[in-house]
Amino acid sequence: MSAEIDYGKAEDVAGLVEERFRQLIEEGAFADLEPYLASLGKTGSEDQAVTLTLQLKLSDSEREREVVVTEASRAYLNDGEVYDFCQSDAVVRYLCDNEIRVFQSNACPHCWGDWPDKHTNTTCPECGYEFGKQVKLLIDDDICPFCFEGKVSRQELRCNACGEQVDERFVSWG
C-alpha cells in the first residue's frame, strides 16, 4: 500500500473549508440560488429539508473508498427557517500495523470502512482487523477517547469528565 494521506492535515484543511463556506454564504455567493432552495424546502414536510453542502473528502482508489472529512451545510426548512451546520467525525490517533495513524473515530484506520463502535464490535466488518490486536487507540496526551474532554491515564483509567473507563486491551500508551 502506498503512503497514507495525512488525516491530521486534512483536519486543518477541514476548518478552512467550514470557514470558507460560512464566508461564501455571508458574502451572498449563493444569493441567486437561495430563493429556489427556500421554495423547494417549503414543499416538504416538517421532517424534511433541502440542504446545500460543501464536502471535503479523501479518496483512495486502492481501497475503493472515500471518507468525508467535513461537511459544511445550510438547510432550508419547510417553515422558511434556515439552519447552518458542520458535520465531522472526531479524530483520534491509532496504532495500526505498528504505525501511528490519525483518522476518524468511527472508521477503520486500515481499510477506511465504517466501524463506529470498536469497543463493542471489536472486529472491523470490512477488513477483519481486530481492535486490540492490529488496531489500538494511541493515548499519548491523556485525552479521553470517549468524550475527548476529560483525562485518563495508566494510573486512572476512568475519565474524570464522562466516567467511561479505558480498556487497556484496546489502547497503547504513548
Side-chain angles (χ1 to χ4, degrees):
M1 190 170 284
S2 58
E4 292 290 314
I5 292 176
D6 186 335
Y7 198 91
K9 287 183 181 178
E11 269 297 290
D12 295 340
V13 174
L16 296 172
V17 168
E18 293 167 5
E19 184 180 309
R20 177 59 53 90
F21 188 74
R22 284 189 297 273
Q23 180 184 14
L24 288 169
I25 286 176
E26 288 170 9
E27 292 175 353
F30 307 110
D32 59 331
L33 293 175
E34 292 204 78
Y36 298 106
L37 297 168
S39 177
L40 185 57
K42 289 178 183 178
T43 65
S45 71
E46 64 185 34
D47 298 325
Q48 299 173 330
V50 172
T51 307
L52 178 64
T53 300
L54 177 63
Q55 290 183 329
L56 173 63
K57 294 181 181 181
L58 303 181
S59 301
D60 187 310
S61 60
E62 191 174 315
R63 287 181 173 100
E64 297 181 349
R65 297 215 189 267
E66 59 183 19
V67 293
V68 176
V69 178
T70 191
E71 199 170 79
S73 302
R74 173 166 273 198
Y76 300 84
L77 309 177
N78 79 327
D79 63 2
E81 291 292 316
V82 175
Y83 179 63
D84 293 333
F85 61 96
C86 293
Q87 194 171 342
S88 59
D89 196 4
V91 176
V92 295
R93 292 167 51 90
Y94 293 102
L95 197 57
C96 179
D97 293 329
N98 295 315
E99 292 180 15
I100 295 173
R101 296 205 187 145
V102 177
F103 207 65
Q104 299 177 344
S105 64
N106 286 327
C108 177
H110 173 70
C111 73
W112 294 13
D114 290 332
W115 191 11
D117 194 7
K118 294 173 189 68
H119 297 276
T120 306
N121 303 315
T122 59
T123 302
C124 174
E126 302 291 329
C127 70
Y129 266 45
E130 292 183 56
F131 197 46
K133 293 187 179 173
Q134 296 99 334
V135 176
K136 289 188 173 198
L137 278 174
L138 178 59
I139 301 178
D140 56 3
D141 55 8
D142 294 344
I143 300 295
C144 174
F146 298 101
C147 70
F148 305 103
E149 294 176 15
K151 298 282 186 184
V152 296
S153 68
R154 284 184 175 164
Q155 295 75 30
E156 185 52 55
L157 298 174
R158 188 166 306 280
C159 175
N160 64 357
C162 71
E164 291 285 342
Q165 183 162 329
V166 171
D167 186 331
E168 289 197 276
R169 296 175 299 161
F170 303 135
V171 301
S172 180
W173 297 95

